[in-house]
Amino acid sequence: MASTLTKDAPEDSSGKTFFGHPRGLATLFMTEMWERFSFYGMRALLVLYLTAAASQGGMGMAAATAVALYSVYNATVYLMSMPGGWLGDRVWGPRRTVAISASVIMLGHLLLATGVSALFFAGLVLIGVGSGLLKANISTMVGHLYDGPQDPRRDGGFTVFYMGINIGGFAAPLLIGWAGQQISWHLGFGLAAVGMALGLVQFLVGTRHLAARSSVVPNPLTPAERARALRLTLTGAAVLGVFYAAVVLADAFTIDWVLWPVSVAGLVLPTYYFARMRRDKDVTPEEKRKLSGFIWFFVAAAIFFMIFDQAGSTLNLFAEKSTSTDLLGITFPTTWFQSVNPLWVMLLAPVLATLWVALGRRGRNPSTTTKFSMGLIGVGVSFGVMALALVAASGGAKVSPLWLIVIYLIQTLAELCLSPVGLSVTTKLAPAKYAGQLMGVWFLAVTAGDCVFALLQLAIGDAASGTAGFAVQGGVAVLAGLVFLAARKRVNALLGTVR
């Protein structure tokens, strides 16, 4: 049965819907699915390719450096969500920003597929920048399809959209990972480019079904602001260009000249944004108090993602070197482990959503702070199990794949306790003046967590991902979860009426 069209969505004379939602949701669903397909497929191969010997077609990079590079790359995606949101709000509008960013991502994957080292790293930069720009705007366009926050279909629409992310994340390692490991690394990267190309075509063909608001620049730059932004951008690019040219000419350039500055920037930027918001005279004392409460959630999320985002790096290397890839008589590529988390999400998300509703009816639904504590403790426990897996693999033994499957199960349960709740609480605690920007700051929690681990890898090398390293990280997360739980009354007092 056709749904009632929203005032923003274009009229569809056919009356067709997408699972009862505006047809534009199908366009955004497929675009996001293919973008995640390309991103997670490439991510499943990245560390394995970087560490593979030249005789195996890889780059022969030290494991610690490869893991740090992976962490910085992952951090960049979320770091770029801030300028991505700014470009969508003030320069191009969400629709044009997504089209441009998808093209940039596709070009980045093509550069990865060439097999030329210099172009490979340029491709990583393009994918990181493009993914950040797309991520900041495509969710906004989902919201545009509905008639305001009170539209009863809105939450269901975002749930359908979220499934697209996990379908892409599940399928990518199965195909791209298999092609990269079994046939050619560069064929795998090339398939990621094909995936993004399909997403871009889907977006361009289906753009007529999107809401009219998606083409509008909500708060366009004035000519003076545009000139200032251009001047600052060109000046910054020139300074960086001169600096790195000098480093190269001095024959001193190594990958560390990129990894250290980006890692430090990932920690400095969130600090800057919090300080800026707290000093703003337009932010009321009540909003500043809620912002103080939000900082607790931000730090907790950074600790969580420091561990959770190692799925594609340290856990991927453990799968490659120390885990059997034979289960029930079926042999599979290492990269297929990267499909386990999305599969668990698709299986468990409806179960936990139903559980929270059922507990809510009985007045027993855990508070936001309690759920965050559960997420931190859970991800810490997963690394305790990981430390035990390393012990079991000592002496060169190959452990059962069930170790990683269980670790991903624990991490998924922790993710479902923390990540969706974090998105929700961010929208509730944001000052009116910074409603959109605080969501960008929330994504910087991922950047901060990844950058902390990148700095650890650069500072102490392989010890960060050894048995003691996993145990210490897990212990820190569990301790942080217990502290957060003990401080819940204090944090709740800062939140006011938000629960």
Side-chain angles (χ1 to χ4, degrees):
M1 186 173 68
S3 63
T4 304
L5 291 166
T6 72
K7 62 180 70 175
D8 288 320
E11 294 293 333
D12 183 357
S13 57
S14 69
K16 294 180 179 179
T17 64
F18 181 66
F19 295 109
H21 294 271
R23 287 186 71 188
L25 183 61
T27 297
L28 300 176
F29 173 95
M30 295 298 292
T31 303
E32 180 73 356
M33 185 193 76
W34 284 116
E35 188 275 330
R36 292 290 87 182
F37 175 85
S38 67
F39 178 81
Y40 282 109
M42 181 279 299
R43 200 179 81 154
L45 291 175
L46 182 57
V47 169
L48 301 180
Y49 169 71
L50 292 174
T51 56
S55 60
Q56 298 173 321
M59 299 189 73
M61 191 177 288
T65 304
V67 169
L69 177 59
Y70 166 90
S71 298
V72 168
Y73 161 74
N74 212 46
T76 302
V77 172
Y78 293 91
L79 187 66
M80 291 306 298
S81 66
M82 291 294 287
W86 182 83
L87 286 169
D89 286 344
R90 308 216 63 189
V91 182
W92 293 323
R95 188 182 302 190
R96 184 177 296 179
T97 304
V98 167
I100 292 171
S101 60
S103 302
V104 169
I105 294 168
M106 181 179 66
L107 176 60
H109 285 298
L110 288 172
L111 293 181
L112 261 60
T114 62
V116 179
S117 295
L119 293 181
F120 182 89
F121 290 110
L124 281 182
V125 172
L126 291 180
I127 297 169
V129 171
S131 296
L133 266 59
L134 186 143
K135 187 176 188 66
N137 288 278
I138 196 165
S139 295
T140 299
M141 290 195 291
V142 174
H144 288 169
L145 296 171
Y146 300 95
D147 189 12
Q150 305 307 318
D151 191 317
R153 300 168 300 159
R154 186 184 180 92
D155 287 349
F158 274 97
T159 300
V160 172
F161 179 73
Y162 188 66
M163 290 304 293
I165 296 174
N166 285 286
I167 291 171
F170 171 73
L174 300 180
L175 178 59
I176 294 175
W178 170 82
Q181 284 192 286
Q182 303 298 321
I183 302 176
S184 162
W185 297 110
H186 304 295
L187 174 61
F189 294 132
L191 287 177
V194 171
M196 191 65 259
L198 291 172
L200 177 59
V201 170
Q202 166 71 32
F203 182 76
L204 296 176
V205 170
T207 192
R208 64 186 184 278
H209 298 302
L210 300 178
R213 285 176 61 193
S214 297
S215 296
V216 176
V217 181
N219 182 24
L221 294 172
T222 65
E225 289 174 326
R226 186 178 291 271
R228 181 174 181 272
L230 182 61
R231 184 170 62 252
L232 289 174
T233 302
L234 293 176
T235 301
V239 169
L240 286 174
V242 170
F243 174 78
Y244 279 105
V247 173
V248 171
L249 290 174
D251 199 27
F253 182 80
T254 66
I255 194 67
D256 286 1
W257 281 100
V258 176
L259 299 182
W260 277 98
V262 175
S263 298
V264 172
L267 298 176
V268 170
L269 278 176
T271 306
Y272 163 76
Y273 277 111
F274 280 124
R276 177 183 171 186
M277 285 185 275
R278 287 187 61 82
R279 289 198 307 265
D280 195 323
K281 294 179 180 179
D282 292 334
V283 178
T284 67
E286 172 68 17
E287 288 176 329
K288 288 181 180 179
R289 186 161 55 252
K290 289 181 178 179
L291 198 58
S292 296
F294 178 76
I295 292 174
W296 281 80
F297 292 100
F298 180 91
V299 173
I303 295 171
F304 175 88
F305 285 109
M306 178 186 72
I307 291 176
F308 183 80
D309 272 357
Q310 292 181 50
S313 57
T314 57
L315 269 63
N316 209 8
L317 288 175
F318 177 78
E320 174 73 6
K321 297 176 180 178
S322 304
T323 307
S324 169
T325 52
D326 186 292
L327 184 64
L328 301 176
I330 300 174
T331 303
F332 53 90
T334 304
T335 48
W336 282 20
F337 281 110
Q338 298 300 302
S339 291
V340 175
N341 171 251
L343 178 60
W344 280 131
V345 170
M346 288 188 286
L347 292 174
L348 296 175
V351 176
L352 258 67
T354 303
L355 176 63
W356 299 144
V357 172
L359 289 174
R361 288 173 183 156
R362 301 176 184 178
R364 296 182 179 179
N365 190 14
S367 67
T368 299
T369 49
T370 300
K371 288 177 181 175
F372 254 67
S373 300
M374 292 164 61
L376 275 172
I377 293 169
V379 82
V381 168
S382 78
F383 259 33
V385 177
M386 186 64 211
L388 294 176
L390 275 176
V391 172
S394 60
K398 292 269 189 177
V399 301
S400 166
L402 291 177
W403 279 99
L404 281 176
I405 292 171
V406 170
I407 288 167
Y408 286 132
L409 169 61
I410 298 170
Q411 290 192 351
T412 301
L413 289 169
E415 175 193 7
L416 293 173
C417 287
L418 185 142
S419 189
V421 175
L423 291 170
S424 177
V425 79
T426 301
T427 62
K428 295 174 182 177
L429 296 177
K433 184 176 179 179
Y434 294 98
Q437 292 183 56
L438 196 68
M439 184 58 71
V441 172
W442 165 256
F443 287 131
L444 289 182
V446 184
T447 297
D450 285 336
C451 287
V452 166
F453 185 67
L455 292 173
L456 280 174
Q457 283 286 156
L458 292 170
I460 63 177
D462 291 335
S465 52
T467 303
F470 283 122
V472 169
Q473 291 178 72
V476 167
V478 170
L479 179 61
L482 293 174
V483 169
F484 202 75
L485 188 64
R488 65 187 182 280
K489 290 183 179 179
R490 178 182 175 185
V491 176
N492 287 338
L494 295 171
L495 304 186
T497 57
V498 174
R499 287 293 179 268

